[in-house]
Amino acid sequence: MVIILTQILSVAGLIIIGVLLFELIIFFHEGGHFICAKRNGIKVNEFALGMGPKIFSFQKGETTYSFRIFPIGGYCAMEGEDEESDNPRAFNNAKVWKRMIVIIAGAVMNIILGLIFMFVIVIQQPSFSSTTVGDFQPNSFSANSGLVTGDQIVRLNNYDIMTSRDLSFAIGTMKPDTVDGDSLSIYKEDCTGAITKLYISLANDGALSDDVSQNLLNYLKEKCTLINSAETREDAYRIMADSYSEMNTVAGVTEYTVPDIEIRESRQRYRTDVDVIRNDERITLNDVDLFTYSTDGGETASVAIDFSVMPVEKTFFSVMGETWGQTISVVRMVWASLVGMVTGQFGWQDISGPVGVTSAITQVASAGLEQSFMAAVNNIILIMVVITVNLGIFNMLPFPALDGGRFVLLLIEGIFRKPVPRKIESYINAGGFAILMLFMILISVKDLWQLFVK
């Protein structure tokens, strides 16, 4: 009973933290508009956190500050923003460049908040991951395809790699290909896979001492390296067969059969070209295979990273660099995802609204709770980094009703030195808002459907 109550309180606490962090995102966004409006002499009538009916409010100077019941947004209502006003301090009477700054400030503040959130995550880590290959798993596909220890990966799957997050994103968005199964590299992959599978079987049997198990692992790595460098199938098979016999002998197994290596016309592989820095020279490795596996008998292919990367020592400068680099990586991920939606790389099922985001937050929080409460909080903060950066970038898109759309109208006004007629601007923004609301409703229905059919 106590354990259940503790779990309930933990989940409730995480929900409250999530809501507060989301409102912090809104506060920063609207705060950007607010601060720049005040600094540029524009009158702000109301600054609100939340939407819907007012919980309470107070007046300070010319501005009403209010808290509203639904924690799903907020606004900064400026004089003359959506209507004509004769007030000399109205938004519509300010210089064009001042209005541009005010409009874009919200998105900029979202990016800044993303940096702050990312710093909170980064500062807790004992060290950081680089993009330089450190070591390979014994049955590494990528080692069979030309990747070597010390290679600094700079491009993979047509995506520039600057951080470990870029590397994970590039691999995570790959699609499997049907490739020629009658190739030397795949044959060697199967050879290393055969003796790796044997090692796992022997190690899990429980009959080996720790010393023998470690010696077998070292032997496995050595023989896999030899197989990786084999120039013919015959050489690869000979090394595999000798290793198979030797490992069984060391483990005390007398009855065994050295497996044949099946050659099929085609295989499923996550295969891509990889650009690396090797010996201070940038080179391209063609057709590098990433570890491809299946958990349903071969029907569906999945990908995994089959190498480790070298660590980066934690210093003041590496913390700052990692914070900046990881935030920029999130920005690039968002843009790449938007492009992927347009080009068809990502489908309707990959888009999420508030319901989907809430579900994702719940999942990452639950996964974090299996480690510790702080791990769950960090998972939520990482989701918030993505949300705040998403919000910033999405708002900068040149679409009616978004900040980016308003910025375009101001840009037109600045170029032609004549504002877009207020009536036309209202129609444009109202139409854009209606489309956004319809889109949000459709996404929410889709999220709810996925939630209940899973």
Side-chain angles (χ1 to χ4, degrees), residues 34-165:
F34 176 83
I35 293 171
C36 286
K38 289 286 190 178
R39 294 287 293 178
N40 286 285
I42 297 171
K43 181 183 178 184
V44 178
N45 293 327
E46 183 179 1
F47 181 84
L49 274 180
M51 303 292 282
K54 191 183 299 182
I55 300 175
F56 70 90
S57 64
F58 62 91
Q59 186 83 19
K60 186 175 181 181
E62 63 188 9
T63 305
T64 300
Y65 299 86
S66 62
F67 291 85
R68 297 178 177 269
I69 193 167
F70 300 119
I72 56 173
Y75 57 86
C76 174
M78 294 173 280
E79 177 75 18
E81 182 181 7
D82 295 312
E83 73 288 326
E84 291 293 341
S85 175
D86 296 329
N87 190 321
R89 295 182 55 232
F91 179 82
N92 62 294
N93 293 324
K95 294 183 181 297
V96 173
W97 64 268
K98 289 186 177 181
R99 282 179 278 158
M100 285 181 169
I101 291 175
V102 172
I103 286 298
I104 211 68
V108 173
M109 288 299 286
N110 280 130
I111 304 298
I112 292 174
L113 181 59
L115 281 166
I116 295 172
F117 279 158
M118 187 62 76
F119 175 80
V120 171
I121 295 172
V122 167
I123 195 66
Q124 300 176 60
Q125 299 173 7
S127 63
F128 314 119
S129 298
S130 69
T131 59
T132 300
V133 177
D135 196 10
F136 294 95
Q137 293 179 8
N139 58 332
S140 171
F141 285 14
S142 56
N144 268 314
S145 307
L147 209 61
V148 301
T149 299
D151 281 348
Q152 180 188 349
I153 300 173
V154 293
R155 188 171 178 81
L156 185 148
N157 193 29
N158 296 317
Y159 193 77
D160 290 329
I161 308 299
M162 293 181 286
T163 68
S164 57
R165 191 175 301 278

Side-chain angles (χ1 to χ4, degrees), residues 1 132 177 261 283 289 348 392 406 448 453:
M1 186 67 181
T132 300
D177 294 325
I261 301 301
I283 61 174
D289 285 346
W348 176 256
R406 293 173 181 267
L448 286 169
V453 298

